[in-house]
Structure formats: C-alpha cells, structure tokens
Amino acid sequence: MNFQPTTLNERVDSLDILRGFSLLGILLVNMFAFYLPMPHIDLGNWFTEAKDIIWHQTLDIYVQSSFYPLFSMLFGYGLAMQFMKAERTGISFYKFAPKRLVILLIIGLMHAFFIWWGDILTMYAFCGFFLILFLRFGSGWLLTFGFVINGIMQLFFIGIFALSGMANMEIEEQAVDITMINNAISAYGIGSWTDAFLQRLDDLSLQMGIAMWISSLLTILPYMLIGAAFAKWRLIERGKELKGFWITLTVICLALGLFIKSTPFLFTRTYLLDYLKVYVGGPILSIGYIGVVVCLCMIPVIPKLLKPLAKAGRMSLTLYLMQSIICTLIFYNFGFGLYGEVDVQMGTLIAIGIFVIQVIIAELWFIKFKQGPIELLVKKLTYR
C-alpha cells in the first residue's frame, strides 16, 4: 500500500482559508525587510514621520509577531494530520516525513541564498525534524511539551528583566551599524544582482546565526506542538460541535492579545512590555485569529465566499516564494529600484495589492490544475 498526500476531498476548508489569511499577514510583516535595511535597524525607532509611526504601530499591534505563531501552528496541525492518516492506513509515517522536510529545507536554502535573505522555510523544516519526534505522543502531552518549552524561554527572559532591573526601564534607541545600513542600501538600492547576492550573504549571517536556530526551538517548535495537539483533538474539523469553546476562546484571545500588544503604546515602552507584546501577546492574538476563521466558517455561506482565499492557501508554498520574487523585483535595483523609496502606508498597500493578485492567480490556476507548482514538485519528490 502506498501512502498518498491529502486529496481534494480530504481538505479542510477552514485550514486552507487560514493558510491563505496567513500569507497576507506574513507579507505585511516581511514587506519592511524588502524595502528597508533590516536586520540592521530597530523599526520601533526608525520612523520619524507621524504617518509612518501610526501605520507601523498599527501593523505592530495587529500583524507583527502574530502570524509566524499562526503559521507554525498550521504547520504542526498539517504534519499531525499526515501522521494520523499514516496510522490509519498502516504506513510508516517516518518513511516519508523526514524526506519531505529535507526537500523543504533545500527549497528554503535556495530561497534564502538566491532570492531573499529573510526565508522562514529553513527554520520550519529544522523545527519539523524535532516535531516528528513528538508526534507519537497524545494531544495532552503535545500541548504540555509546547507550553513547557515556551515557558522555559518566558521564565528565562522575564527572570533576567526582574533580576537586572530592566523590567521597568524605558527602551532606549539602540546603537546601529551605520556601515552595514549603508552597505545594504547601496547593494539593494543601487547595486547589481551580484551586489545584492553578496549583501544577502552578510544578512544571512545574522538571520541564520546559531542563536537564531536555537531561538527557533523556543519560539517556533512550541507552536508547532500546540498545533499538532489541536490536530489530534480535531479542534478545527469539529468547529460546529465545539462552537461554545471556539467562541469563548476567540473572544478571550482577541481581547487579551490586542491588549498586551497595545501596552507599549498605551503606556511607557519598557523592555518588559515590549517583550510581552512580541512573545506573549503575539501568540495569544494568533489563536484569536484562528478562532475568528473557525467561527466564521460555521456560517454555511462564509466558506463559499472565502473559497478564493482557500485556494491561495492550497498553494501557500508557491505563493510565499512568489512574494519574494515579486518584491525583490519591485524594490531592488535590478528591478524597479524602489528600495527605500516608499513609506509604510505605500508598502502596506503594495503588499495588499500583491496578495490580491496572488488570490486571482490561485483562482485561475485551479481551473486547470489540482495543486500549486511547488506543491506538486514536493509531492513528486516525496511520494514518487
């Protein structure tokens, strides 16, 4: 018996809608890194115009740090669904899962080195190797592991803030490396593809440093484990059955997440509040967003209305890579050369415009094909 990937009839609409929704959130966050010299600046202190500050703060509250946990949970949810399907069919999950992760890792490395330094696929593949070691455990254990691993990081940093007296200290403007900033502006803004490639290697040395790999096990893996626990409970598929649970969870997580993420702007921006905004408020809000989609999908007409978003979610890997190609062509000098030339509002509108075009592309693509091109490639390489 051959193990097969998920067929069209087996797909869960709300999961695909969530993936499509995540693509928009990820692009809105990544947009800063396409037209500004990140990771060499602090966005919190970079903008000086009032309009830019307001737009950035709005994105910081509603988008930043809430979509990588969401996508991590979806990643864990999907992998756990594959694991349970393998158990039902009597096929060893571990014959194909590591291979799929290796393929994802290779695609991520190619993306990082040749297209854009801010790739996240490599980190997801890396954490995925640890995730599959946990999938034999039940949902309760998976949830516990997720909270414990993330809790270790929370206790460590909050403990440092408390012991050092930094908790109530106002965040000061951080020193920046002017040379690295100028190098990035020159390479991406006025340089050739080769200049951009060499600068990309420098940026990757920061993005993929040892600290980032270790950090991913504390900030990405826990949400994958939580997503896997949700999958084993089939929380999304059983949305209507668990209506009360989802409505309660959604209201609490939206209110609490938005409050925590707003505190640095409502009060003084201290080190503790800024940390809580990113690493506590962000993940809580992401669960609220999941709940919003699950609750909306309980209304019969909504999944039909959001079908285009679901189709985008079905080819999320292809569209994620496409976003990087489009944005580098828009902003880098070997394309339209708009690097550093747009404000936050324009960058946001460009991101929304790109996403709308991608939704239309997905709609047209699935008229003729059943899978996205990169998804089909991964399928062929994994399952043959």
Side-chain angles (χ1 to χ4, degrees):
M1 180 183 296
N2 293 324
F3 188 85
Q4 297 295 324
T6 303
T7 65
L8 186 58
N9 291 333
E10 296 173 310
R11 301 199 71 90
V12 180
D13 285 340
S14 48
L15 280 174
D16 286 331
I17 292 169
L18 278 167
R19 291 188 183 100
F21 176 57
S22 297
L23 281 171
L24 174 59
I26 288 170
L27 180 57
L28 288 170
V29 172
N30 288 345
M31 186 58 64
F32 290 110
F34 283 117
Y35 67 81
L36 291 177
M38 295 179 66
H40 312 293
I41 62 173
D42 173 21
L43 285 177
N45 295 312
W46 179 258
F47 303 107
T48 56
E49 297 290 335
K51 184 176 73 170
D52 286 335
I53 293 172
I54 292 171
W55 273 88
H56 172 250
Q57 288 182 355
T58 302
L59 290 170
D60 208 8
I61 293 171
Y62 290 95
V63 184
Q64 182 71 39
S65 74
S66 290
F67 279 86
Y68 84 84
L70 196 161
F71 216 83
S72 299
M73 284 184 267
L74 292 176
F75 188 95
Y77 204 106
L79 208 55
M81 288 177 68
Q82 294 282 346
F83 177 82
M84 292 186 290
K85 181 179 178 181
E87 282 190 320
R88 291 195 304 269
T89 56
I91 302 299
S92 174
F93 172 78
Y94 296 96
K95 286 184 178 180
F96 67 87
K99 185 177 180 181
R100 185 170 187 170
L101 291 172
V102 168
I103 294 167
L104 184 64
L105 179 64
I106 293 172
I107 292 174
L109 290 172
M110 293 176 65
H111 174 229
F113 279 95
F114 297 106
I115 302 176
W116 181 57
W117 60 266
D119 171 79
I120 195 63
L121 299 177
T122 49
M123 296 294 178
Y124 276 72
F126 173 70
C127 292
F129 287 111
F130 291 88
L131 174 64
I132 62 177
L133 300 178
F134 288 92
L135 288 180
R136 293 185 183 274
F137 291 94
S139 51
W141 280 107
L142 289 169
L143 192 65
T144 301
F145 289 136
F147 278 112
V148 168
I149 294 172
N150 187 252
I152 291 172
M153 181 188 74
Q154 308 291 4
L155 290 174
F156 176 76
F157 282 104
I158 292 175
I160 288 179
F161 291 144
L163 294 174
S164 65
M166 293 175 60
N168 296 318
M169 288 178 57
E170 187 174 350
I171 293 180
E172 300 176 353
E173 187 171 349
Q174 299 176 357
V176 295
D177 190 331
I178 299 297
T179 301
M180 289 298 291
I181 291 174
N182 289 334
N183 288 344
I185 293 173
S186 297
Y188 298 132
I190 60 176
S192 63
W193 187 93
T194 302
D195 295 326
F197 174 77
L198 294 175
Q199 179 63 37
R200 194 179 303 122
L201 296 181
D202 288 337
D203 293 339
L204 275 173
S205 67
L206 297 175
Q207 173 71 3
M208 292 190 178
I210 294 176
M212 291 297 293
W213 295 101
I214 297 174
S215 174
S216 69
L217 295 178
L218 300 174
T219 57
I220 293 177
L221 178 60
Y223 305 124
M224 290 184 175
L225 289 166
I226 292 171
F230 285 5
K232 290 207 169 188
W233 276 318
R234 299 181 68 248
L235 292 185
I236 293 180
E237 294 92 325
R238 297 165 56 211
K240 291 183 180 180
E241 176 188 339
L242 302 171
K243 182 188 296 186
F245 165 81
W246 274 114
I247 292 175
T248 303
L249 186 68
T250 301
V251 171
I252 292 174
C253 289
L254 283 179
L256 185 59
L258 288 173
F259 174 74
I260 294 174
K261 293 192 73 178
S262 301
T263 50
F265 309 112
L266 295 173
F267 309 104
T268 303
R269 187 188 175 204
T270 64
Y271 285 99
L272 178 61
L273 291 183
D274 212 53
Y275 174 86
L276 294 176
K277 176 196 71 175
V278 175
Y279 295 105
V280 177
I284 291 175
L285 184 58
S286 69
I287 295 177
Y289 286 153
I290 292 174
V292 168
V293 173
V294 172
C295 289
L296 285 175
C297 288
M298 296 178 194
I299 305 171
V301 71
I302 297 298
K304 295 179 181 178
L305 293 176
L306 297 180
K307 204 71 174 179
L309 201 60
K311 290 181 180 178
R314 283 169 55 191
M315 55 188 299
S316 56
L317 179 56
T318 297
L319 296 186
Y320 170 73
L321 297 173
M322 185 190 295
Q323 288 175 356
S324 297
I325 295 171
I326 293 173
C327 288
T328 51
L329 287 175
I330 289 175
F331 296 112
Y332 290 4
N333 189 51
F334 53 77
F336 293 98
L338 294 180
Y339 190 87
E341 299 295 326
V342 301
D343 57 17
V344 182
Q345 179 183 11
M346 182 56 66
T348 302
L349 294 176
I350 290 173
I352 295 171
I354 291 171
F355 181 71
V356 170
I357 292 171
Q358 287 190 310
V359 170
I360 295 171
I361 290 173
E363 186 72 31
L364 296 174
W365 181 268
F366 284 111
I367 292 175
K368 186 173 182 180
F369 303 101
K370 295 182 179 180
Q371 286 183 300
I374 305 300
E375 286 76 8
L376 180 60
L377 174 64
V378 173
K379 170 188 171 182
K380 293 290 186 183
L381 293 174
T382 304
Y383 305 105
R384 296 188 180 178

